Amino acid sequence: MNEKNISVITRRGFIRRAACAAVGTFAMTSAIRDLRFMNAAVAQSNIPPGDYKALVCIFLAGGNDSNNLIVPTVPSEYNNYAAIRTPVLALPLGSLQNLNGYTDPAGHTYGLHPACPELQTLFGEGKLAILLNTGTLVYPITRAQYLSGGKRPPQLFSHADQVTQWQTSVPDQPATTGWGGRCADLLNSVNLNSLISLSVSLAGANTFEVGNVVSQYSVSTSGAISLAGVSGARLAALTNILGLPYPNMQEQAYAGVTAHSINTGAVLNTAITNSAPASFWSVPFPTSITTPNGGSTFTSSLSSQLKMIARLIEAGYRAAGNPTNGFGMRRQIFFCQVGGYDLHSGQTNYSVNSPNNVILGAHANLFAELSQSLLVFQRAMEQLGLQNSVTAFTASDFGRTFPSNGVGSDHGWGSHHLILGGAGAANGGSVLGGQTYGKLPALTINGPDDTGTGRWIPTTAIDQYFATIATWFGVDPGNLSTVFPNIGRFTTPSLGFMKTS
């Protein structure tokens, strides 16, 4: 061998070449991923004209203690609940909103939190479904597997990590897109010549709506977010400047994005200005919520967000029959969020001397807001005739511990969630409500569904939860694995709470 032809690579050179190779591999992986999405989007079945559907994700930020959202009322189960959650968290049996005599296939009966009579009404109307004990999973896992170190989502019980995993539905891979964003990428082509993004957020940037193709568009509860103090002649001058040719590609791209944002905002504000006025809604959206014990009031962030979503849905759908001032949308995804659910203290308490007179804390106020806002939003959809076309659903960081920490509850895992829409397939509805789905955990510390500290091991994966919704939304079954890469690890991709055709 000719030693002159031997290439000597230093350690630094080796690392540099390896890094370049890694970048090339990542670029190749990204190209393959994007190509797969493009092919999947082309393969999507044709969605007929006039077929409008919208998803509304309601994120309960902080980790909702759903153990008090829905409570078992079979005497032996309730007594077990009360013994473990007393004295801080247990709700009196007589205060619960019963589910109109509903008994699930396993023989369980339930009651909702006393601050949720509106949810009781919606459940009784068959428009609200309840999914029990769902959470982030890498694979199905039992207590024995958990305790022996079986595969589980990384960084369990961490707010930031679990929020990301809930919004991506891919807990065991680096987060690049959200599952809502992947749905939007697949279905964006059906929104022909649409004027705004398929993905709209009322709560700023979020991971749920991040896509490879579709970018989320943030809107405030007052409308499009415009340039502060720029209007009239100033706005016209700025628009003219942005329209000038720029030799620098970065400047040109920036000008184009800014001009598009201004134009989109103008279109959106015009559309919602021409939408139904506040007096139109037969059940007005509450601007404030009265605390359930009849005390003070507080401004409702959730109601304001849902009101704007209702206005955007009205404007978006209007173009199907009347293109004037409408968006021409056939698919829309919305994201809203309300905080305050990280209740390590101040959660709930009641008077031992008068057990049905609940002394309501922060958690009850949040549930009152959720219950009242969801009822009004559903009534708004019914007034628009879109109750079968819009599905709202809850998500949250995680559930919370079953035992109290003395003043509240701590970070948990599995939790219960709500799905809201039109009632029953027989009535053309979207949600097969008036029922519970999934499996109620055994409410026992160190029981079969417990990690060991009262954190429920999910018996249903969020992949299944969201895949059921995405299928109704229009994602072909053959493309479910594109949106939910891990769905094949679970035996049932559909949980049955949505209309399938």
Side-chain angles (χ1 to χ4, degrees):
M1 179 181 293
N2 187 344
E3 293 183 1
K4 292 182 179 180
N5 293 330
I6 297 176
S7 176
V8 179
I9 303 176
T10 65
R11 179 176 179 273
R12 180 176 296 175
F14 174 80
I15 293 173
R16 183 172 63 250
R17 293 189 186 187
C20 291
V23 170
T25 302
F26 177 78
M28 179 66 74
T29 302
S30 297
I32 293 172
R33 178 198 61 211
D34 293 344
L35 182 61
R36 184 174 70 248
F37 262 98
M38 290 170 62
N39 290 336
V42 171
Q44 276 289 138
S45 62
N46 291 327
I47 294 175
D51 179 38
Y52 173 84
K53 288 182 179 177
L55 297 181
V56 181
C57 177
I58 301 168
F59 202 87
L60 311 178
N64 174 40
D65 184 358
S66 59
N67 291 305
N68 273 8
L69 174 62
I70 181 165
V71 178
T73 55
V74 170
S76 60
E77 294 176 337
Y78 174 80
N79 291 339
N80 199 40
Y81 157 90
I84 295 173
R85 300 220 102 190
T86 298
V88 174
L89 300 180
L91 296 165
L93 180 62
S95 73
L96 298 173
Q97 305 283 344
N98 72 77
L99 294 184
N100 310 101
Y102 169 76
T103 303
D104 74 9
H108 302 291
T109 59
Y110 305 94
L112 290 166
H113 192 283
C116 299
E118 296 83 7
L119 295 183
Q120 178 198 41
T121 296
L122 291 168
F123 188 91
E125 293 175 354
K127 299 166 185 174
L128 182 72
I130 298 171
L131 178 59
L132 301 170
N133 196 22
T134 184
T136 57
L137 288 173
V138 176
Y139 289 93
I141 189 171
T142 64
R143 171 179 163 87
Q145 291 168 332
Y146 176 87
L147 294 177
S148 64
K151 289 187 177 181
R152 66 191 75 174
Q155 304 300 321
L156 279 174
F157 324 127
S158 156
H159 283 295
D161 295 280
Q162 291 306 300
V163 167
T164 298
Q165 291 175 30
W166 265 84
Q167 295 188 18
T168 63
S169 196
V170 189
D172 58 342
Q173 299 177 29
T176 56
T177 58
W179 74 264
R182 296 192 292 273
C183 285
D185 286 346
L186 283 177
L187 296 168
N188 191 47
S189 61
V190 306
N191 284 348
L192 300 175
N193 302 316
S194 59
L195 301 174
I196 65 170
S197 174
L198 189 154
S199 299
V200 176
S201 173
L202 271 291
N206 62 83
T207 303
F208 166 65
E209 292 181 316
V210 173
N212 286 315
V213 178
V214 177
S215 299
Q216 57 188 276
Y217 183 71
S218 291
V219 176
S220 75
T221 55
S222 301
I225 301 171
S226 58
L227 296 173
V230 181
S231 60
R234 289 184 178 182
L235 181 60
L238 176 59
T239 303
N240 291 334
I241 293 171
L242 293 173
L244 294 174
Y246 289 92
N248 183 289
M249 292 182 64
Q250 184 176 3
E251 292 175 344
Q252 184 177 353
Y254 178 81
V257 169
T258 304
H260 178 73
S261 176
I262 292 172
N263 293 335
T264 300
V267 169
L268 186 143
N269 284 335
T270 298
I272 61 175
T273 298
N274 293 329
S275 68
S279 59
F280 167 80
W281 307 109
S282 58
V283 181
F285 285 85
T287 56
S288 62
I289 303 294
T290 302
T291 55
N293 63 352
S296 60
T297 61
F298 60 94
T299 301
S300 174
S301 168
L302 180 58
S303 177
S304 298
Q305 292 177 68
L306 290 176
K307 179 179 180 180
M308 178 52 66
I309 289 173
R311 295 178 68 188
L312 291 170
I313 287 174
E314 194 273 340
Y317 179 70
R318 187 189 329 132
N322 175 20
T324 304
N325 297 323
F327 301 143
M329 310 293 285
R330 292 163 71 188
R331 289 294 184 273
Q332 289 185 284
I333 297 175
F334 297 94
F335 178 85
C336 61
Q337 178 172 286
V338 59
Y341 283 86
D342 191 20
L343 291 169
H344 293 275
S345 63
Q347 187 169 332
T348 292
N349 205 341
Y350 66 93
S351 169
V352 176
N353 295 325
S354 181
N356 289 337
N357 181 21
V358 181
I359 301 174
L360 299 159
H363 203 214
N365 294 343
L366 289 167
F367 277 164
E369 178 183 35
L370 179 66
S371 182
Q372 294 175 38
S373 298
L374 285 182
L375 177 68
V376 175
F377 181 76
Q378 179 64 22
R379 293 295 184 253
M381 295 303 99
E382 292 167 2
Q383 190 171 352
L384 295 174
L386 295 176
Q387 66 274 15
N388 299 332
S389 302
V390 180
T391 296
F393 60 95
T394 61
S396 190
D397 316 25
F398 34 60
R400 301 190 80 83
T401 53
F402 195 51
S404 171
N405 59 20
V407 287
S409 57
D410 296 322
H411 299 177
W413 191 359
S415 57
H416 315 319
H417 285 278
L418 308 173
I419 307 99
L420 176 67
N427 301 318
S430 55
V431 175
L432 306 182
Q435 302 178 63
T436 59
Y437 297 81
K439 178 179 176 290
L440 182 73
L443 304 180
T444 304
I445 307 305
N446 286 316
D449 300 311
D450 181 22
T451 63
T453 56
R455 291 164 162 163
W456 307 133
I457 299 170
T459 44
T460 299
I462 61 170
D463 307 64
Q464 299 167 280
Y465 176 19
F466 297 145
T468 306
I469 294 172
T471 301
W472 169 83
F473 191 56
V475 175
D476 285 342
N479 286 330
L480 272 184
S481 61
T482 303
V483 180
F484 304 99
N486 296 343
I487 192 64
R489 299 173 182 177
F490 305 97
T491 56
T492 309
S494 175
L495 300 176
F497 58 76
M498 300 292 297
K499 181 182 177 182
T500 56
S501 61

